[in-house]
Amino acid sequence: MDHIKQIEAFVNSATRGSLSAAAQLEGITPAVIGRRLDALEARLGVKLLLRSTRKLSLTFEGQAFLEDCQRILNDLANAEAAVSLGGIRASGHLKVSAPAGFGRRHVAPQVAAFMLANPDITVRLDLTDRLVDLLNEGVDCAVRIGEMADSSLASNKLGEMHRVVVASPAYLAAHHVPRTPAELATHNCLSLGQQRGWALRQTPGGEVANIKVSGTFECNDGAVLHAWALAGKGLAWRSMWEVGDDLRHGLLVSVLDDYAAPAVGIYAVFPQRRHLPLRVRLFIDQLKITFGNPRYWGLCGETRASPEAG
């Protein structure tokens, strides 16, 4: 029990930004929070938080530990809820937010399946590319891709997303297949808005760098770039959530796979709560089962260009 209290003190302090805010949340004094943090750091033998009179900041070890602690506390709350609720069916209204393109293609079908399995729940799905304020807009759960900027929110990792350089077989038949990122300079690259660089490794397994690209086609809508790539207009740097099906069916081919940057996380984020409502927990669990499976994204068996092609 002392260990759980220490972890709660750490998570609340890190996400709320101060010992006093964490103490207020738990209904105790800041001194008690401080003692719990001291005990946790002493037990682990590492410094997790840098404390000053003005602010708290996470150490490198603290940042890595925070996500695991949030997951542990969330799993514990879910286990307690499952036992206490027993056979009670989830009900009520669920408000979900997701990026427009990703949500239309991948979250909306999950919502439909979720409602079919939970007929007592109503769902509102808001699709937008702006950063939604969950607390002020009454959002129960948001799906986000990439690093989490708002530490006041709890998060649950659902899976990982890769980005790949793709082109149509027709384009690659008419042009040489790039073997290194440097060869992108000789290709027509489809740019998203003012984007002039793609994040790729400089060497296989090496550091990621912004590789400058150029071309005759530019648009601020990713769906249009996708369509241009299918039409053979050039190379595009797209997410697997968008092009996975096209790779499987041979409509697009991936190149420079050995130079791809590391995957980014797909997260469900939600307001900090001691007990997550059953309807939210069940929806997140469903997303985790689906998005956590690499085969869902076409990572097993995607179509690659032969180095000798073109």
Side-chain angles (χ1 to χ4, degrees):
M1 182 59 69
D2 288 343
H3 290 183
I4 296 298
K5 291 295 185 183
Q6 292 168 8
I7 290 175
E8 287 179 337
F10 167 64
V11 170
N12 290 333
S13 298
T15 56
R16 298 280 169 164
S18 69
L19 301 190
S20 58
Q24 184 177 9
L25 178 67
E26 296 194 38
I28 55 180
T29 65
V32 173
I33 293 291
R35 287 196 293 270
R36 290 177 180 175
L37 290 175
D38 290 340
L40 177 61
E41 291 176 334
R43 181 163 56 85
L44 297 178
V46 295
K47 195 72 174 174
L48 300 173
L49 286 167
L50 299 176
R51 290 175 257 173
S52 72
T53 55
R54 300 183 62 181
K55 67 174 184 178
L56 295 177
S57 59
L58 287 163
T59 64
F60 177 79
E61 292 81 5
Q63 185 66 54
F65 192 49
L66 178 60
E67 184 176 325
D68 287 337
C69 287
Q70 289 175 314
R71 175 182 52 78
I72 289 168
L73 292 178
N74 184 59
D75 289 346
L76 179 60
N78 289 344
E80 291 176 345
V83 170
S84 63
L85 289 171
I88 297 176
R89 296 202 309 183
S91 62
H93 186 67
L94 176 66
K95 186 174 181 181
V96 179
S97 173
F102 181 85
R104 189 180 305 115
R105 193 157 184 168
H106 297 284
V107 180
Q110 294 302 311
V111 167
F114 180 73
M115 294 180 70
L116 184 64
N118 299 275
D120 295 334
I121 296 177
T122 60
V123 179
R124 172 173 174 172
L125 175 61
D126 286 345
L127 301 181
T128 177
D129 290 324
R130 69 179 178 84
L131 193 63
V132 173
D133 185 332
L134 273 65
L135 289 172
N136 290 331
E137 298 182 42
V139 176
D140 296 298
C141 171
V143 177
R144 292 180 180 169
I145 301 174
E147 295 303 315
M148 297 296 97
D150 190 348
S151 62
S152 67
L153 299 173
S155 64
N156 199 323
K157 191 172 185 179
L158 305 174
E160 291 187 331
M161 175 57 52
H162 290 78
R163 298 194 76 173
V164 290
V165 179
V166 297
S168 70
Y171 177 86
L172 293 175
H175 303 79
H176 73 279
V177 175
R179 293 172 175 80
T180 67
E183 294 183 28
L184 291 174
T186 65
H187 281 271
N188 196 39
C189 296
L190 310 176
S191 297
L192 181 65
Q194 298 299 312
Q195 176 193 67
R196 294 303 179 195
W198 296 348
L200 297 169
R201 298 184 190 273
Q202 294 176 296
T203 59
E207 295 294 324
V208 175
N210 189 57
I211 307 299
K212 294 188 179 301
V213 298
S214 62
T216 57
F217 288 82
E218 178 183 309
C219 185
N220 64 350
D221 189 314
V224 172
L225 297 187
H226 182 197
W228 283 343
L230 288 169
K233 303 302 182 183
L235 293 166
W237 186 49
R238 309 307 303 152
S239 294
M240 282 298 298
W241 69 257
E242 184 179 14
V243 300
D245 285 342
D246 298 320
L247 292 172
R248 281 193 296 273
H249 293 102
L251 300 176
L252 291 174
V253 178
S254 66
V255 300
L256 301 176
D257 292 339
D258 291 337
Y259 298 87
V264 297
I266 306 171
Y267 295 88
V269 298
F270 42 91
Q272 292 276 5
R273 293 173 181 166
R274 186 170 292 275
H275 296 291
L276 200 62
L278 180 60
R279 59 185 177 275
V280 180
R281 177 173 63 84
L282 291 178
F283 183 66
I284 292 175
D285 287 346
Q286 177 177 310
L287 293 182
K288 185 184 293 187
I289 291 172
T290 302
F291 296 162
N293 183 357
R295 291 185 181 276
Y296 176 81
W297 304 110
L299 298 182
C300 299
E302 67 266 31
T303 303
R304 296 187 177 194
S306 167
E308 289 74 30

